[in-house]
Amino acid sequence: MPEHRLPPGQHVPRGWPAVHYGPVPRFRPERWDLRVYGMTASLGEYRWTWPEFAALPTAEITADLHCVTRVTLLDVCWSGVPASALVAMAPPADSASHVMVWAEYGYSANLSMADFLAPDVLFATHRGGVPLTPEHGRPVRLVVPRLYGWKSVKWVRAIEYLDADRRGFWEERGYHNRGDPWNEQRYSYQERPGDGPPLG
Ligand SMILES: Nc1nc2c(c(=O)[nH]1)N[C@H]1C(S)=C(S)[C@@H](COP(=O)(O)O)O[C@H]1N2
Ligand SMILES: [Mo]
């Protein structure tokens, strides 16, 4: 494998355990929705039920997943709704500079609007052509290939548009606010002024 393929400090393990904090939620299609709220252009809220979301046009990407625990999973094929398409359907206010992606049970991760709108960011419903298994995020997970895996939020339920950056679950607990694996932005103590809001 060409060495430049792997970010610094990463290796490819033989197996790949699902990586997450806390229990795997059960998917109840009749109760599931995906909401967009916060600094929308209209200040109103957008909402998709499961049948509505499942009917949206999809795209496919193949990407590597870099977990901050130093393992990388190569060539994962995901399909789902591009984040940019979702943003087009739920226009943000001009002042919306960041997003908070919320999952079941309160897990969250923050992204700049620019990172969120990268063309390879997807709300994935399928992996390798089959629906996500529960432990990998059924029914919908975010995939952010350019940042460490904790930003690829599984079991997504909401997107909050923010007019100022705010730390998510791991970003508050010692991990880097941005998490670029190519620059090895693992921990918050590595942050430079401007990389993130002050730690509480
Ligand atoms: N809701 C939620 N999403 C999550 C996590 C989590 O704890 N909760 N862990 C993240 C981490 S650290 C990684 S590396 C990836 C792993 O995805 P996988 O289990 O599908 O391989 O999911 C991310 N998404
Ligand atoms: Mo991770």
Side-chain angles (χ1 to χ4, degrees):
M1 182 197 334
E3 209 175 288
H4 62 259
R5 178 108 202 236
L6 278 183
Q10 297 294 115
H11 69 273
V12 179
R14 234 174 278 136
W16 182 269
V19 185
H20 53 262
Y21 177 86
V24 174
R26 201 169 94 209
F27 173 40
R28 297 181 186 80
E30 66 293 345
R31 290 176 54 181
W32 186 94
D33 62 5
L34 183 75
R35 295 189 306 130
V36 177
Y37 68 99
M39 295 303 297
T40 61
S42 64
L43 295 179
E45 184 175 305
Y46 297 80
R47 180 176 175 268
W48 289 267
T49 63
W50 174 246
E52 288 166 348
F53 189 82
L56 295 176
T58 59
E60 202 175 276
I61 61 151
T62 297
D64 303 339
L65 178 62
H66 309 294
C67 179
V68 73
T69 60
R70 299 183 180 273
V71 296
T72 286
L73 183 63
L74 297 174
D75 290 325
V76 198
C77 177
W78 306 100
S79 69
V81 180
S84 57
L86 208 78
V87 169
M89 292 182 280
D94 291 339
S95 60
S97 56
H98 293 79
V99 302
M100 189 70 77
V101 181
W102 289 101
E104 302 280 0
Y105 303 138
Y107 183 92
S108 61
N110 57 316
L111 295 162
S112 69
M113 190 60 88
D115 283 333
F116 188 58
L117 289 174
D120 53 359
V121 176
L122 282 190
F123 287 90
T125 54
H126 291 67
R127 173 174 153 174
V130 298
L132 296 176
T133 59
E135 58 280 10
H136 290 293
R138 174 178 295 168
V140 180
R141 64 144 344 133
L142 190 67
V143 179
V144 187
R146 297 174 206 217
L147 300 176
Y148 279 122
W150 83 78
K151 302 279 191 182
S152 289
V153 177
K154 301 193 272 192
W155 314 297
V156 176
R157 292 295 304 274
I159 319 302
E160 181 185 0
Y161 292 161
L162 306 174
D163 58 9
D165 198 4
R166 202 168 81 212
R167 290 173 190 270
F169 183 85
W170 286 120
E171 296 82 4
E172 263 183 346
R173 289 170 174 76
Y175 287 90
H176 196 282
N177 189 58
R178 177 147 190 261
D180 173 3
W182 298 96
N183 289 305
E184 237 185 318
Q185 294 176 336
R186 297 180 188 273
Y187 308 111
S188 52
Y189 66 73
Q190 300 172 299
E191 289 175 20
R192 308 280 174 75
D195 279 347
L199 272 157

